[in-house]
Amino acid sequence: MSETTAIPHGLPMERDAGPFDPPSQITRLREARPVSPLVFPDGHEGWLVTGYDAVRRLLADTRFSSRPDLGVVHVPYETPGMPAATEPSPQVPGLFVAMDPPDHTRLRRKLTGAFTVRRMKQLEEHIVEITERQLDEMARLAPPVDLVKEFALPVPSLVICELLGVPYEDRETFQVNSAKFLLKDQQLDEKMAAYGAMTTYLAELVTRKRATPGEDILSDLARHDDLTVEELTGIAFLLLLAGHETTANMLALGTFALLEHPEQLAELRGAPELLPDAVEELMRYLSVADIFYRYATEDIELGGETIGKGSTVVVSLLAANHDPRRFDHPDTLDIHRKARGHLSFGHGIHQCLGQQLARIEMRAGFAGLLRRFPTLQLALPAGEVRLRTDMNIYGVHELPVTWTESAR
């Protein structure tokens, strides 16, 4: 492995070319060598995969394991940009995103019925109602308001709480602790305290549902006698975290991006039929969930390179989604683009289970927001918007907005 091509001591994560663009160093690296050697902070060598074709092939290849206990684990809270390595940790029960078949298959199969396209379409009208109620609440406020607090975070939180059977009045417990858990530069004890608070709460919740089940996803899961309380808790943690964090950040950052592209915003407002394609393009363009890890279980050829058995492989979905070999003018937001095939939901056996739910929430959210607030604009200069560069899911911490009129 050539030392000259390896990134020394860290991965550049700052979107220094602008709030919506990939880090410039990763962009240059992708053009030169889409599968590149990488030196981690502790000195051991791994790989960084940034090209669209290579990322897609890797995610579809089950020889690249999702189990962090098989390789050197990188916990995202010790070193800015690229975390320090730790000893491999044991698998967390129920956390099927970090499992391989057959364990992954056994757990995920129990959820596929809950997230079918058909079931999500049946829920669409109700999700629109939840969105409209939240817009009513926002319209009663005197601007400026924080769009994250008043709209982008409540909508997916309300939806996932209702689907899972988590009392929405308990949202402080999981919203505050999930934010702490996702901090990059977080001390281990603080991160584990946040994780512990969430799992303690969820363990009590699934235990109650096992005793007295209701009409919700967690109750349905609790009826499976072959799932332990620990597995139920892990599944609940994963669904709750993923079910509100990613969509909340897409709604807020997507609104910011549209406000920064007023000509496309106006076109979208005048032609709502463009919204499905616009949502796909925003997901590609923004790629709020970027970095993932895989571990080679044997020597594997990828993109003209040989990735050795046991290697840690870092995957950048953001870089792949901005690969000019796959998307023309990839650093340009284009609501007319047919961006399906983007990798924002992943690919292969770990492709996002809730992707149809997320699409419905975003379509309802953006459509309602553009219709109800035709004069929506930022309440501060764009350069002053606080970006979530400190978090493992990208977005904005707050998005102060204002308007001069609202509509029904």
Side-chain angles (χ1 to χ4, degrees):
M1 185 181 297
S2 170
E3 286 295 330
T4 58
T5 57
I7 300 175
H9 306 302
L11 183 65
M13 293 299 296
E14 294 295 325
R15 301 193 186 204
D16 53 345
F20 313 120
D21 297 319
S24 56
Q25 190 174 344
I26 284 188
T27 296
R28 289 194 299 270
L29 192 65
R30 182 193 60 219
E31 301 317 304
R33 197 172 178 182
V35 180
S36 299
L38 174 70
V39 177
F40 289 92
D42 68 337
H44 95 277
E45 295 178 339
W47 293 86
L48 171 64
V49 184
T50 53
Y52 178 90
D53 288 341
V55 167
R56 188 177 170 92
R57 282 201 298 273
L58 182 151
L59 294 176
D61 191 336
T62 54
R63 294 176 298 170
F64 287 104
S65 173
S66 296
R67 286 176 51 185
D69 59 309
L70 293 184
V72 179
V73 180
H74 295 271
V75 281
Y77 44 77
E78 293 188 358
T79 303
M82 175 59 72
T86 66
E87 289 300 311
S89 56
Q91 283 191 291
V92 177
L95 214 64
F96 57 87
V97 72
M99 294 178 181
D100 297 334
D103 299 321
H104 169 268
T105 312
R106 179 178 73 89
L107 295 178
R108 180 160 170 141
R109 188 177 287 146
K110 294 183 185 300
L111 284 162
T112 49
F115 290 97
T116 60
V117 174
R118 182 166 172 267
R119 183 165 181 182
M120 290 301 108
K121 283 187 175 176
Q122 289 171 346
L123 284 168
E124 188 161 5
E125 189 176 326
H126 184 52
I127 290 168
V128 170
E129 288 172 8
I130 289 173
T131 304
E132 292 298 322
R133 283 202 305 268
Q134 198 59 39
L135 288 165
D136 289 342
E137 295 288 326
M138 185 168 140
R140 292 189 191 102
L141 301 173
V145 305
D146 174 15
L147 190 81
V148 174
K149 179 184 176 186
E150 305 300 341
F151 180 68
L153 184 56
V155 167
S157 295
L158 280 160
V159 171
I160 199 65
C161 280
E162 193 167 310
L163 275 178
L164 294 182
V166 175
Y168 184 64
E169 57 269 22
D170 295 342
R171 63 191 178 279
E172 285 295 318
T173 299
F174 68 82
Q175 286 177 354
V176 170
N177 285 304
S178 70
K180 288 179 182 176
F181 182 76
L182 289 169
L183 269 172
K184 284 181 185 172
D185 303 325
Q186 178 74 290
Q187 294 298 316
L188 179 58
D189 57 346
E190 294 175 13
K191 194 180 193 74
M192 294 314 295
Y195 173 75
M198 286 184 73
T199 52
T200 298
Y201 166 75
L202 290 169
E204 293 170 355
L205 182 65
V206 296
T207 300
R208 290 201 303 273
K209 289 185 180 296
R210 178 151 273 177
T212 53
E215 297 299 316
D216 54 71
I217 289 174
L218 292 185
S219 292
D220 291 345
L221 288 170
R223 292 185 176 96
H224 290 272
D225 292 334
D226 61 327
L227 289 177
T228 66
V229 169
E230 290 76 20
E231 286 178 321
L232 288 168
T233 301
I235 293 171
F237 171 79
L238 186 60
L239 295 179
L240 188 58
L241 188 74
H244 80 278
E245 278 286 351
T246 48
T247 307
N249 283 292
M250 272 302 307
L251 285 171
L253 191 66
T255 301
F256 182 24
L258 289 171
L259 290 172
E260 287 295 282
H261 294 79
E263 70 295 336
Q264 297 201 52
L265 176 62
E267 193 176 358
L268 195 55
R269 189 175 270 126
E273 66 273 12
L274 295 174
L275 200 57
D277 282 341
V279 164
E280 299 301 317
E281 169 65 351
L282 284 166
M283 283 190 289
R284 179 204 69 83
Y285 181 62
L286 300 174
S287 301
V288 297
D290 177 15
I291 296 295
F292 291 85
Y293 294 88
R294 292 293 187 267
Y295 308 92
T297 58
E298 58 184 80
D299 290 353
I300 306 168
E301 193 80 17
L302 184 70
E305 309 281 357
T306 299
I307 296 178
K309 180 179 179 179
S311 294
T312 300
V313 185
V314 182
V315 182
S316 173
L317 301 188
L318 172 64
N321 279 335
H322 282 247
D323 189 340
R325 297 176 185 88
R326 174 62 176 80
F327 299 103
D328 292 334
H329 309 291
D331 296 338
T332 299
L333 177 67
D334 179 5
I335 61 171
H336 294 279
R337 189 193 305 271
K338 302 298 180 185
R340 290 187 183 271
H342 66 77
L343 299 171
S344 296
F345 287 124
H347 183 60
I349 64 169
H350 288 285
Q351 191 172 40
C352 177
L353 191 63
Q355 60 180 289
Q356 298 306 332
L357 175 64
R359 286 186 169 104
I360 291 167
E361 289 175 312
M362 282 185 274
R363 288 197 295 261
F366 289 125
L369 194 64
L370 298 187
R371 187 186 77 253
R372 296 288 295 274
F373 297 95
T375 57
L376 191 74
Q377 60 184 24
L378 290 178
L380 80 176
E384 294 178 18
V385 173
R386 287 183 58 226
L387 301 168
R388 285 171 51 116
T389 53
D390 56 335
M391 308 295 280
N392 283 310
I393 295 177
Y394 188 62
V396 295
H397 283 288
E398 295 102 20
L399 191 70
V401 294
T402 187
W403 61 87
T404 55
E405 60 177 297
S406 60
R408 286 298 304 173

